[in-house]
Amino acid sequence: MKQITCIDDLRDIHQRRVPKMFFDYVDRGSYAEETLRANRADFQDIKFRQRILVDISERDLSTDIIGARAALPLILAPVGSTGMQFGDGEIHACRAAQAAGIPYTLSTMSICSIEDVAANVQQPFWFQLYVMRDRGFVKALIERAIAAKCSALVLTVDLQVIGQRHQDIKNGMSVPPEIFRLKNIIDIATKPRWVKGILAGKSRNFGNIAGHLPGSKDLGSVSAWVASQFDPSLNWRDIDWIRSIWPGKLIIKGILDVEDAALAVKAGAEALVVSNHGGRQLDGAPSSIEVLPDVVDAVGDQIEVMFDGGIRSGQDVMRALALGARSCMIGRAYIYGLGAFGGPGVAKAIDIIRNELSTTMALCGVNSIDEIDDHVLAL
């Protein structure tokens, strides 16, 4: 991997090694993909203020994330079906995050279950929760996360209804995936390394749902259940119910409005994540980085503000920190590494971002994460 220099290099290899339907599932966005593109384009408009002749010989990238020390201000975000990018993908990604000293977030819609991941890693991880109509299932999920000693619950609140992703429909990326379409059969036949890895994995179903449903080994049954479960009635009162079960730290992910940020504070969350779901939900919404400063100005002194959406480099992390985020989530960036090389690819993605962040700090004349604010920007 010596010649891999950036996240885009990992993306190129991921695209070659993983079937198109699964690559596009991660890479693409909803509808016309306006918000997906804005997440990247708006980052590129933010410029740095270069400083010289500053002693930057003792740089420290470590920081506190919801009260725990992390080696850098980075979190691996929840990504559904990670285990279909690489066999046992959730386990490999979690191990890489923990080796790097940063949090990993397991999705409700993971292929490896909470218990599978917990049994194969050394430290607690975060768990991301979707609130389904079946509140008994939700309660059981939270209790399983407690039993697994998960250290934070990330409640994703922007998926009560699902934004249409045109490419998923064209590719047959449904539940179960339409693998036996002719074009998909041909594509998969050219990816023997991927096939071997997936077949060797612990699961090819949604691990957190398996066992809850009678006949849940049948993906068709799981599909029908999942399609009926996203709950448009979800509202702020449900936070109190979740709090009555979950005793630990709560993070609300999917905030894109100042009024909602204030309600997240009122709900007693320890942190919120400014996020538009990677441009995969409301197309035409502003980019996450456009909204971030207003949210920080409104509630940044009352709650820990995290950032998610469009990060592909350490420079992007620096930009988000400069605009007030305390830490950043990456999703696509580490999945590109996972699809390309498995766990070592995730480690490479983290290393790329770490090294870019360290260099950018140096050239902006700062030595620690706490020193980063809007003074590093050419405003």
Side-chain angles (χ1 to χ4, degrees), residues 239-317:
I239 307 293
D240 293 335
W241 176 73
I242 291 167
R243 274 293 200 189
S244 73
I245 306 166
W246 174 254
K249 295 173 181 177
L250 179 67
I251 301 166
I252 298 179
K253 180 177 182 287
I255 301 293
L256 211 63
D257 185 273
V258 167
E259 290 184 23
D260 289 335
L263 290 170
V265 173
K266 187 176 179 181
E270 278 73 24
L272 63 82
V273 186
V274 174
S275 173
N276 55 34
H277 215 101
R280 293 164 61 79
Q281 281 294 94
L282 176 60
D283 196 34
S287 69
S288 296
I289 200 67
E290 179 183 347
V291 171
L292 176 63
D294 289 341
V295 172
V296 170
D297 287 346
V299 301
D301 60 345
Q302 303 170 67
I303 192 171
E304 192 162 324
V305 177
M306 300 172 177
F307 177 84
D308 168 72
I311 287 178
R312 299 290 186 277
S313 68
Q315 290 89 346
D316 292 340
V317 172

Side-chain angles (χ1 to χ4, degrees), residues 19 31 42 48 66 70 106 129 137 147 190 220 224 236 255 263 352 370 376:
Y31 298 101
D42 289 354
F48 294 113
I66 55 169
L106 181 70
L129 180 70
F137 171 68
T190 67
W236 288 102
I255 301 293
L263 290 170
I352 288 169
D370 291 342
V376 306

Side-chain angles (χ1 to χ4, degrees), residues 20 41 59 75 114 145 148 151 192 230 252 274 293 305 307 327 354 362:
K20 185 177 188 296
R59 295 189 304 286
I75 302 147
I114 299 171
S151 50
F230 287 98
I252 298 179
V274 174
V305 177
F307 177 84
S327 58
R354 177 195 290 110

Side-chain angles (χ1 to χ4, degrees), residues 34-89:
E34 294 175 11
T35 300
L36 174 72
R37 291 190 294 273
N39 274 355
R40 293 293 306 127
D42 289 354
F43 262 122
Q44 294 164 9
D45 290 337
I46 301 169
K47 305 303 179 185
F48 294 113
R49 180 185 177 203
Q50 180 175 303
R51 301 303 304 278
I52 60 170
L53 297 178
V54 177
D55 182 355
I56 39 82
S57 59
E58 300 292 335
R59 295 189 304 286
D60 180 6
L61 276 63
S62 65
T63 190
D64 289 331
I65 300 178
I66 55 169
R69 203 65 181 166
L72 63 160
L74 198 67
I75 302 147
L76 298 196
V79 178
S81 299
T82 296
M84 295 306 292
Q85 303 294 331
F86 192 92
D88 292 338

Side-chain angles (χ1 to χ4, degrees), residues 101-131:
I102 63 173
Y104 169 79
T105 318
L106 181 70
S107 171
T108 289
M109 304 307 293
S110 59
I111 300 301
C112 293
S113 69
I114 299 171
E115 293 80 10
D116 282 340
V117 177
N120 286 279
V121 301
Q122 300 299 313
Q123 302 165 39
F125 50 90
W126 295 2
F127 182 68
Q128 176 268 334
L129 180 70
Y130 287 128
V131 177

Side-chain angles (χ1 to χ4, degrees), residues 342-378:
V346 178
K348 182 67 174 180
I350 296 168
D351 283 343
I352 288 169
I353 290 175
R354 177 195 290 110
N355 293 334
E356 290 171 341
L357 175 59
S358 179
T359 299
T360 307
M361 288 170 60
L363 295 174
C364 290
V366 297
N367 282 292
S368 71
I369 298 302
D370 291 342
E371 292 179 48
I372 301 172
D373 59 22
D374 61 6
H375 290 96
V376 306
L377 301 179

Side-chain angles (χ1 to χ4, degrees), residues 137-154:
F137 171 68
V138 175
K139 183 173 184 289
L141 266 183
I142 297 172
E143 290 170 344
R144 289 165 65 186
I146 294 168
K149 297 183 170 54
C150 291
S151 50
L153 187 70
V154 180

